[in-house]
Amino acid sequence: MDKMEIRFAGTGGQGIILLGVLAAEAATIAGNYATQGSYYGAQVRGGITSADVVLGKEWIPFPYVEKSDLLVTLTSESLDHYVNQAKPGSIIIVDENVIILEDQDELQKNFNLVRVPLTHKCFERFNSNFFLNIVTFGFVVRYLKDFFSEEHAIQALKNNVPERLFDEELAALRIGLNL
């Protein structure tokens, strides 16, 4: 794949913007092109938040996600809000705790719907969802292998998280990688 449009979506405070930053930076570390933009709802915490990332093997002339090839949603509201902006047949990754407001059979018919126990695994290891975004990033790496490796993902993580938290952040990344 030469180009991929990705949208990470959830609620303010979940670290959605960092997800976009990590994916874009990992791709550029690997020598690819990337753009990253963010959308915040009216509320800083609690409103719909998204990070749009476009990854490419060549220069990216239009830096915004028009129709996502990969939609990653961590809340029901964000899934409901962005599902109509996903390409038919594209991948939609949803935390298994998300209540799907749409007709799930219809979603599975039109998209490659992947439900993953992201929150469960995060609580299992950390007794908190503080690292949910990093567990999510680890899981998503498998879909972005055309643009960067696990090593590039680890380097992007190291470049963007506080040093004092890096060991726990790395453990969270590895949980996602192994799901």
Side-chain angles (χ1 to χ4, degrees), residues 16-172:
I16 299 298
I17 306 309
L18 180 58
L19 271 168
V21 169
L22 291 172
E25 185 163 335
T28 58
I29 290 169
N32 293 297
Y33 292 88
T35 64
Q36 190 272 323
S38 308
Y39 166 78
Y40 301 86
Q43 303 163 292
V44 175
R45 290 193 179 269
I48 292 175
T49 301
S50 67
D52 288 359
V53 178
V54 180
L55 303 180
K57 298 287 184 182
E58 297 180 9
W59 183 74
I60 301 166
F62 188 72
Y64 303 104
V65 170
E66 294 179 281
K67 290 280 190 177
S68 61
D69 298 297
L70 175 63
L71 172 62
V72 181
T73 62
L74 300 180
T75 64
S76 301
E77 296 79 14
S78 62
L79 174 62
D80 190 49
H81 187 78
Y82 287 114
V83 70
N84 293 327
Q85 296 171 29
K87 290 178 186 168
S90 64
I91 301 164
I92 298 179
I93 297 171
V94 180
D95 182 52
E96 74 175 3
N97 287 349
V98 169
I99 297 168
I100 297 181
L101 304 174
E102 304 278 329
D103 179 353
Q104 187 164 333
D105 291 334
E106 191 69 20
L107 277 177
Q108 288 174 325
K109 185 173 103 180
N110 295 319
F111 303 98
N112 180 3
L113 182 64
V114 181
R115 293 189 62 111
V116 189
L118 300 165
T119 299
H120 174 77
K121 291 296 184 181
C122 195
F123 267 93
E124 188 175 83
R125 167 63 169 83
F126 301 106
N127 201 30
S128 161
N129 68 349
F130 183 76
F131 298 106
L132 176 60
N133 60 335
I134 307 304
V135 171
T136 302
F137 180 56
F139 182 77
V140 169
V141 165
R142 74 194 69 216
Y143 295 96
L144 305 177
K145 293 230 182 231
D146 287 349
F147 300 97
F148 60 87
S149 67
E150 291 177 12
E151 292 76 26
H152 297 121
I154 292 168
Q155 186 60 52
L157 185 68
K158 188 172 188 173
N159 293 348
N160 285 283
V161 300
E163 188 176 327
R164 64 184 170 77
L165 294 177
F166 179 72
D167 290 340
E168 287 181 300
E169 300 272 6
L170 183 58

